[in-house]
């Protein structure tokens, strides 16, 4: 490429900056060592095949497991931040045909809500678990035991593990020892709480088990397990104690049937300062393959943070925690946040009403997505390939407006300098309209990956599908098409339609190639789900092969600097041979030289240097690194992005507001033109022309606009400038512009007069106002609390999920005016979240205003910055700013200047949930006016008289 492309370069530069800026270790946050204790209870069970299978309660009684599936950190309670646009979306399926399922069969039914399906595969068995049952199958689908309640396995054990059938189960096959790990938690019987863990004494899951109850300091919600060479790992979400728990059980002692194996426990409090680094929980790494981590490696736990999520995260990132486990001297163990690894911007906050998110075919309601949970989804699949280590995991996201997708990651070299090798969102729904969510991902011994998930839409019943990629496919793409294990025949009809809360993609250790996946679907519409297990294999897996890796994948340089790229040839399945390297796509005039053009023995390394850059053109370049070798001969390619800058960026040119503009909004949007070789921009606003008093500095951003909010004073004059920067440095400031903020609402300059162009006292009937829906809304004209006169409009804060809309008649706004303002009186009694009723900071229920300039075809919510009087109190669960809490009548004022001269309609929306309300009160609206400042010359033209 020999022409500079600003947008692409900017995006790539941002990606590079994110990939490198936070690579250094951050050990500011550490877990607190809580205890090292033995198992609370132990015994050895009879062979499972000789035990009576207790019938699963969820099959017999259609139970809803509300007490044990409580959701104390409800999605209805957060305060969301800014919502990002996902720019790494794979928006269509690949055209290749993924291998068909080798096996696909049903593995149980139930009605627990949610089912929490988990499964794993051994040499001869597939064992699945769910709330609150388990079942053992042959690998061709023949049932060998069950279905049975989970506490069948704890018969005769005593205590809560036997008495309860609590669920949140995880099953893992320990391929290093040929054993089965089967778990559940306890949640109510007590005294105390327990992680109930059973480990098979042999490779036969129908045989006997070592059974353990490990005491938990508090309710160990959402336990996730991982296999590590020295420990069985557990993470918990200990909401009763406002903390996250991390546990390590001595694996060698458990395998030996030691009655008192040591369990080391750490805790991290979920304080306001810690929340962004903990979210809704952490996920322990789970070993795949037969090669253990390098000697001395810590165990890994992964978290995820979203700057638009509920915990105030400063950035979008993965969080890598390291658990150094010392069973000899447990107090010397440590649990540390080692790395914050920035990712491409993503959005985890899907628009939901409660848990109603993903649509089902009408008339069925929507089902849960769980994307709003700030945590990766089961599993964090770890694999050591010898020349590198890799962890893959995923999370449901909002890939596009109201379209679900799955963000998936590959993280390499976790113990040294972690490298985010792949960071992409799989969302073909952008093209085909089908939502994908509730995923699980794993990698085989050849570096290929498989991703399983739920798929459905308003026309497709929730189904179980899968996709994948080969090791040599372009990074960040699921390039092997999409397959289906089963098509849904119906949908979820329960009042609360939970989904998941997790699924499981596993790799068969027999060949280390075959993927097995479990998820739920509905054979017919109702409350009884069916679990489906299926398997498939890439035919390329298992053969000796090699791959090419490059680091960094994105790099910025300022000429005449060189670019240095580390190239690694990785071997799979005992590959023996060399790799001959070559590169194409470098800038014209630049050189491309390898420190070792031939890696004589794979695995091995070489350094690619892009040099002689003094005369090359600025731009973004894609360099293809090719490796060829092996017997038979094979070729692998890897693309590297190089962004070349040759000079500082020029001064940007301000475009809006106009120079010397008056009557500017107190929350103006400042804009400017992009400049050649400009990547990031910073705006400064000052109260004086020499910028000695700067009142606002924007965040560094690639955008060419910035909104200034809540810092400007009505009627005051301000000065602003903008500058750009790139890898070469920071450019000069733009020319300075000034603007004057409009007067305070309701005030006009001396040559103007405040006039009212529309008014409704709400005392003279409907007057063209309508409600939506026409029925099922509580918007009525009420005499309970009028501001003036006899009536006002009221939407009741009811104790159910509702979206109630009150719509004004069309109102034509005058062209000649400035300082246009919508004013109304309102009395608010809506359930708040944080703060106090009189001073809320976020909202469970709330009201806000929308505007339409096309007679109601489309609606736009009034931004918080345009609410000039009685500003919004906080955010609703869907991220919308609103009024809530309890406040008597107060005047609200909204800026209408952007709509001058247009015909508009206003829509008052009241949103409620099911937790609690303020019946019979809610949101009262009265005395609405549209006002503005008109010139005195206009007032007396053509006999006009104003009021």
């Amino acid at each position: 490429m020999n022409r500079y492309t600003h947008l692409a370069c900017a995006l790539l530069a941002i990606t590079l900056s994110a990939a490198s800026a936070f690579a250094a270790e951050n050990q500011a946050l550490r877990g607190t060592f809580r205890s090292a204790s033995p198992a609370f209870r132990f015994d050895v069970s009879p062979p499972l095949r000789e035990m009576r299978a207790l019938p699963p309660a969820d099959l017999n009684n259609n139970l809803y497991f509300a007490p044990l599936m409580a959701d104390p950190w409800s999605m209805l309670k957060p305060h969301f931040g800014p919502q990002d646009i996902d720019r790494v979306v794979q928006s269509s399926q690949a055209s290749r045909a993924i291998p068909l399922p080798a096996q696909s069969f049903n593995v149980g039914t139930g009605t627990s809500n949610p089912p929490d399906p988990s499964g794993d595969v051994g040499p001869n068995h597939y064992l699945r678990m769910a709330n609150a049952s388990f079942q053992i199958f042959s690998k061709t689908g023949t049932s060998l035991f069950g279905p049975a309640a989970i506490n069948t396995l704890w018969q005769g054990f005593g205590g809560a593990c036997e008495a309860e059938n609590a669920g949140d189960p995880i099953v893992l096959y320990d391929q290093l020892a040929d054993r089965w790990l089967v778990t559940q938690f306890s949640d109510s019987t007590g005294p105390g709480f327990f992680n109930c863990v059973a480990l098979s004494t042999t490779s036969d899951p129908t045989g006997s088990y070592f059974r353990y109850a490990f005491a938990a300091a508090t309710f160990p919600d959402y336990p996730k397990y991982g296999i590590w060479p020295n420990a069985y790992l557990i993470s918990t979400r200990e909401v009763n104690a406002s903390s996250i728990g991390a546990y390590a059980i001595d694996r060698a002692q458990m395998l030996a049937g030691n009655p008192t194996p040591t369990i080391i426990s750490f805790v991290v409090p979920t304080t306001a300062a810690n929340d962004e680094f903990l979210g809704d929980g952490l996920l322990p790494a789970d070993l795949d393959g037969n090669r253990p981590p390098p000697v001395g490696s810590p165990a890994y736990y992964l978290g995820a943070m979203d700057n638009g999520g509920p915990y105030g995260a400063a950035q979008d990132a993965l969080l890598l925690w390291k658990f150094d486990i010392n069973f000899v001297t447990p107090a010397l163990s440590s649990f540390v946040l080692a790395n914050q690894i920035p990712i491409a911007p993503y959005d985890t906050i899907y628009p939901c009403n409660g848990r109603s998110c993903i649509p089902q075919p009408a008339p069925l309601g929507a089902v849960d997505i769980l994307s709003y949970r700030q945590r990766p989804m089961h599993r964090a699949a770890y694999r050591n390939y010898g020349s590198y280590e890799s962890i893959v995991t995923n999370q449901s996201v909002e890939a596009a407006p109201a379209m679900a997708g799955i963000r998936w990651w590959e993280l390499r070299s976790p113990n040294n300098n972690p490298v985010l090798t792949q960071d992409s969102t799989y969302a073909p729904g952008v093209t085909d309209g089908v939502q994908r969510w509730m995923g699980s991902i794993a990698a085989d011994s050849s570096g290929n990956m498989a991703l399983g998930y739920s798929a459905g839409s308003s026309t497709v019943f929730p189904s179980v599908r899968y996709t994948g990629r080969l090791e040599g496919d372009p990074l960040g793409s699921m390039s092997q098409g999409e397959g289906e294990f089963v098509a849904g025949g119906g949908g979820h009809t329960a009042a609360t339609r939970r989904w998941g809360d997790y699924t499981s993609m596993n790799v068969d250790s027999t060949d280390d190639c075959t993927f097995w996946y479990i998820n739920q679907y509905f054979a017919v519409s109702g409350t009884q789900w069916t679990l489906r297990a299926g398997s498939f294999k890439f035919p390329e897996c298992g053969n000796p092969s090699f791959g090419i890796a490059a680091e960094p994948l994105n790099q910025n340089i300022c000429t005449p600097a060189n670019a240095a790229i580390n190239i690694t040839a990785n071997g799979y399945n005992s590959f023996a041979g060399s790799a001959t390297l070559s590169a194409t796509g470098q800038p014209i005039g630049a050189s491309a030289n390898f420190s070792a053009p031939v890696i004589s023995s794979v695995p091995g390394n070489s350094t690619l240097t892009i040099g002689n850059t003094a005369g090359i053109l600025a731009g973004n370049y894609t360099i293809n690194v090719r490796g060829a070798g092996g017997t038979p001969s094979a070729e692998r390619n890897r693309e590297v992005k190089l962004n070349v800058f040759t000079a500082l960026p020029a001064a940007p040119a301000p475009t809006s507001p106009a120079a010397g503009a008056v009557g500017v909004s107190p929350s103006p949007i400042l804009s400017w033109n992009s400049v050649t070789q400009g990547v990031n921009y910073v705006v400064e606003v000052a109260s004086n022309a020499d910028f000695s008093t700067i009142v606002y500095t924007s965040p560094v951003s690639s955008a060419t606009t910035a909104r200034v909010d809540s810092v400007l004073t009505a009627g005051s004059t301000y000065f602003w400038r903008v500058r750009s920067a790139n890898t070469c440095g920071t450019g000069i400031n733009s020319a300075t512009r000034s603007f004057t903020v409009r007067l305070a609402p309701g005030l006009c300059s001396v040559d103007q007069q405040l006039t009212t162009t529309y008014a409704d006292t709400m005392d003279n009937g409907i007057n063209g106002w309508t409600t939506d829906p026409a029925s099922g809304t509580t918007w009525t004209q009420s005499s309970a609390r009028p501001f003036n006169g006899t009536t006002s409009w009221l939407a009741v804060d009811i104790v159910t999920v509702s979206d109630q809309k009150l719509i004004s008649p069309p109102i034509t706004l005058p062209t000649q005016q400035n300082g246009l303002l919508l004013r109304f009186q309102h009395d608010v009694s809506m359930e708040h979240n944080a703060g106090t009723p009189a001073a809320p900071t976020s909202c469970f229920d709330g009201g806000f205003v929308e505007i339409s300039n096309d007679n109601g075809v489309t609606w736009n919510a009034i931004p918080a910055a345009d609410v000039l009087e009685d500003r919004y109190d906080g955010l609703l669960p869907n991220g919308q700013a609103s009024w809530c809490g309890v406040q008597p009548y107060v005047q609200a004022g909204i800026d209408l200047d952007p709509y001058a001269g247009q015909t508009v309609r206003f829509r008052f929306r009241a949103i409620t949930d099911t937790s609690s309300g303020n019946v019979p009160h809610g949101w009262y609206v009265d005395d609405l006016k549209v006002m503005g400042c008109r010139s005195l010359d206009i007032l007396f033209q053509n006999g006009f008289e104003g009021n």
Side-chain angles (χ1 to χ4, degrees):
M1 170 184 274
N2 56 18
R3 189 168 75 88
Y4 190 84
T5 305
H6 170 75
L7 178 59
C9 186
L11 293 175
L12 291 170
I14 292 167
T15 302
L16 171 61
S17 173
S20 59
F22 296 90
E25 293 246 330
N26 174 4
Q27 296 194 356
L29 184 55
R30 291 175 171 269
T32 300
F33 176 75
R34 184 161 50 185
S35 65
S37 57
F40 178 83
R41 189 187 297 268
F42 166 81
D43 76 356
V44 182
S45 77
L48 179 62
R49 56 183 170 270
E50 298 177 7
M51 299 172 71
R52 181 174 67 91
L54 302 176
D58 57 337
L59 286 176
N60 291 348
N61 300 323
N62 195 31
L63 289 181
Y64 171 64
F65 283 73
L68 54 128
M69 300 307 146
D71 199 13
W73 288 355
S74 170
M75 65 160 291
L76 296 174
K77 296 177 170 42
H79 185 98
F80 296 124
Q83 305 304 293
D84 289 323
I85 297 174
D86 193 326
R87 301 192 184 278
V88 292
V89 172
Q90 179 182 339
S91 59
S92 60
Q93 293 182 37
S95 58
R96 301 177 191 173
I98 199 165
L100 295 173
Q103 298 290 337
S104 183
F105 48 84
N106 292 337
V107 289
T109 60
T111 56
S112 57
N113 194 4
D116 294 356
S118 174
D120 209 344
V121 59
N124 302 298
H125 302 87
Y126 187 84
L127 197 162
R128 71 85 179 162
M129 301 188 76
N131 290 326
S133 66
F134 74 107
Q135 194 166 1
I136 301 170
F137 294 85
S138 73
K139 291 166 76 170
T140 57
T142 300
S143 179
L144 304 177
F145 185 86
I150 297 174
N151 59 346
T152 293
L153 186 52
W154 272 270
Q155 288 179 89
F157 183 69
C161 293
E162 179 183 4
E164 297 181 25
N165 194 42
D168 258 26
I170 292 290
V171 54
L172 294 174
Y173 173 70
D174 183 343
Q175 68 275 16
L176 300 181
D178 197 15
R179 302 281 194 91
W180 294 86
L181 191 78
V182 181
T183 74
Q184 69 165 337
F185 63 12
S186 74
D187 82 322
S188 58
T189 299
F193 300 97
F194 299 94
N195 288 303
C196 307
V197 182
L199 180 67
S200 67
T201 61
T202 68
S203 62
D204 183 0
T206 70
S208 59
Y209 284 78
F210 298 135
R211 303 189 291 194
Y212 298 91
F214 294 101
T218 185
F219 174 40
D221 187 33
Y222 199 75
K224 293 294 167 285
Y225 288 72
I227 292 169
W228 210 244
N230 64 338
Y232 292 123
L233 309 173
I234 314 175
S235 66
T236 58
R237 193 182 70 144
E238 302 183 351
V239 292
N240 291 6
S242 298
S243 61
I244 296 293
Y247 301 80
I249 313 171
D250 192 314
R251 177 174 171 271
Q253 291 179 339
M254 284 190 65
L255 289 170
N258 187 322
T260 57
T262 300
I263 181 168
I264 296 173
S265 170
F266 276 79
V267 65
V268 188
T270 55
T271 63
N274 293 347
D275 269 357
E276 64 175 311
F277 307 111
L278 298 170
D280 289 295
L282 305 176
L283 186 61
D286 181 32
L287 176 68
D288 281 346
N290 293 309
R291 180 185 281 117
V295 174
S297 290
Y300 305 111
Y301 286 60
L302 284 182
M305 59 196 299
D306 175 8
N307 65 1
Y311 296 119
Q315 60 177 324
D316 295 337
L318 288 179
L319 302 165
L320 180 65
W321 291 73
K322 294 180 179 178
F323 198 162
D324 278 300
I325 302 164
N326 189 328
F327 285 115
V328 176
T329 310
L332 296 181
S333 302
S334 64
F335 186 66
V336 177
L337 173 58
N339 300 89
Q340 299 172 55
I341 304 161
I343 61 176
Y346 75 150
D347 178 12
T348 64
I349 307 303
Y350 190 97
C352 306
N353 284 324
R355 288 185 178 270
S356 299
C357 310
I358 303 291
Q360 299 184 102
L364 302 177
V367 300
D368 200 357
I369 184 177
L370 275 186
S371 65
Y372 44 81
R373 287 297 186 208
Q374 305 299 290
R375 63 189 176 216
M377 299 288 286
H378 182 69
R379 293 180 306 131
Y382 168 93
R383 189 179 283 272
N384 183 4
Y385 288 101
S387 56
Y388 70 96
E389 302 167 78
S390 170
I391 303 175
V392 296
T393 192
N394 81 108
Q395 185 173 351
S396 296
V397 296
E398 185 185 24
M403 179 53 63
I406 301 169
R407 176 62 70 91
W408 59 276
W409 300 282
E410 182 188 14
L411 183 66
R412 295 190 181 183
S413 305
N415 197 29
N416 298 311
N417 296 306
V419 176
L420 187 63
T421 303
Q422 303 195 74
D423 178 18
S424 181
T425 299
Y426 182 71
V430 173
T431 301
D432 65 19
V434 176
Q435 316 256 355
R436 276 87 169 170
W437 80 103
M438 200 62 67
S440 184
I441 190 172
D444 66 20
S445 62
S446 292
N448 311 313
M449 297 180 191
L451 173 67
Y453 44 87
S454 294
S457 70
S458 59
T459 59
V460 176
F461 288 119
S463 304
V464 182
R465 297 187 186 179
Y466 61 98
T467 187
R469 67 182 311 277
L470 300 181
E471 191 280 337
D473 288 342
L475 295 178
S477 65
M478 289 291 167
S479 305
Q480 297 300 308
E482 186 170 76
E484 188 167 72
F485 288 123
V486 66
H492 203 346
T493 63
T496 301
R497 294 168 295 281
R498 300 282 295 271
W499 200 266
D501 288 334
Y502 45 90
T503 66
S504 189
M505 179 69 77
N506 304 84
V507 184
D508 193 330
S509 61
T510 305
D511 61 4
D512 216 8
C513 288
T514 301
F515 294 102
W516 285 80
Y517 182 61
I518 186 172
N519 201 339
Q520 71 177 91
Y521 77 102
F522 283 79
V524 296
S525 292
T527 58
Q528 179 172 286
W529 40 256
T530 301
L531 300 181
R532 188 74 163 197
S535 68
F536 82 98
K537 171 185 174 181
F538 290 114
E540 294 85 352
C541 182
N543 300 321
S545 61
F546 75 97
I548 295 293
E551 201 277 319
L553 290 166
N554 295 281
Q555 187 170 171
N556 291 353
I557 65 168
C558 180
T559 61
N562 294 337
I565 303 161
N566 183 53
I567 306 299
T568 304
N570 302 300
Y572 302 95
N573 300 301
S574 303
F575 175 86
S578 62
T580 300
L581 302 176
S582 61
T584 57
Q586 62 269 25
I588 294 174
S591 59
N593 297 306
F594 292 91
S595 60
V598 178
I599 297 175
S600 57
S601 180
V602 175
N605 299 85
S606 181
T607 299
L608 169 61
T609 300
I610 307 298
N612 192 31
T613 66
I616 65 177
L617 296 177
N620 62 297
Y621 299 85
T622 299
I623 299 173
N624 184 70
V625 180
R626 177 180 179 269
T631 304
S633 179
E635 177 182 312
R636 293 291 183 267
N637 294 274
R638 190 61 69 219
E639 290 186 347
V640 176
K641 305 297 183 181
L642 179 65
N643 310 306
V644 176
F645 299 88
T646 60
L648 295 176
T655 57
S656 179
V662 296
V664 173
S665 165
S667 299
I669 297 177
L670 310 180
S671 62
W672 57 92
N673 290 327
S674 62
V675 295
T676 300
Q677 301 200 53
V679 175
N680 296 317
Y681 299 89
V682 171
V683 171
E684 292 175 328
V685 179
S687 58
N688 44 24
D690 64 2
F691 286 83
S692 59
T693 305
I694 295 175
V695 298
Y696 172 80
T697 301
S698 71
V700 177
S701 170
S702 64
T704 56
T705 62
R707 181 185 281 274
V708 185
D709 192 17
S710 303
V711 296
L712 305 184
T713 301
S716 297
T717 298
Y718 292 92
F719 304 84
W720 71 283
R721 65 191 182 188
V722 59
R723 59 182 174 269
S724 181
N726 61 26
T727 298
C728 295
T730 301
I732 62 174
N733 287 314
S734 69
T736 298
R737 274 195 174 180
S738 68
F739 62 87
T740 301
V741 178
R742 64 182 286 175
L743 295 172
L747 296 181
C748 301
S749 61
V750 294
D751 60 341
Q752 293 181 319
Q753 179 172 323
L754 184 66
T755 64
T756 298
T757 58
Y758 175 87
D760 191 336
T761 63
M762 311 304 185
D763 294 323
N764 300 309
I766 300 299
N767 275 351
W769 290 76
T770 57
T771 61
D772 179 22
S775 61
T777 179
T778 66
W779 276 112
T780 56
Q781 289 198 312
S782 168
S783 60
R785 287 185 182 177
F787 175 73
N788 275 321
T790 58
T791 59
S792 63
W793 283 100
L794 165 65
V796 179
D797 186 15
I798 52 180
V799 188
T800 187
V801 173
S802 73
D803 183 356
Q804 308 176 59
K805 307 177 186 75
L806 173 67
I807 305 168
S808 77
I811 301 170
T812 299
L813 305 180
T815 303
Q816 304 98 321
Q817 292 189 213
N818 57 57
L820 272 174
L821 187 68
L822 169 67
R823 271 181 164 169
F824 56 91
Q825 301 288 337
H826 68 153
D827 179 303
V828 180
S829 294
M830 303 288 280
E831 185 195 9
H832 75 293
N833 178 355
T836 65
T841 57
S842 61
C843 310
F844 290 154
D845 305 338
F848 58 96
V849 180
E850 296 175 313
I851 190 169
S852 172
N853 59 1
D854 57 9
N855 199 33
V857 176
T858 58
W859 293 92
N860 294 305
I862 298 294
D866 290 346
V867 179
L868 306 180
E869 298 174 297
D870 189 28
R871 302 191 71 132
Y872 288 133
D873 296 302
L875 301 185
L876 287 164
N878 63 6
Q880 172 61 50
S882 70
W883 291 288
C884 65
V886 176
Q887 69 173 17
Y889 271 105
V890 66
Q891 181 170 266
I894 291 172
D895 183 5
L896 295 181
D897 271 351
Y899 296 92
Q902 302 179 42
T903 298
V904 301
R905 304 183 80 171
F906 303 112
R907 186 162 74 174
F908 291 75
R909 288 183 66 179
I911 304 291
T912 67
D913 63 22
T914 59
S915 53
S916 62
N918 288 285
V919 179
H921 302 297
W923 189 19
Y924 295 87
V925 176
D926 204 352
D927 281 12
L928 181 141
K929 298 179 180 179
V930 173
M931 314 176 73
C933 296
R934 286 172 84 90
S935 167
L936 292 175
D937 292 337
I938 296 175
L939 282 171
F940 298 104
Q941 286 179 3
N942 300 322
F944 178 87
E945 294 183 7
N947 56 356

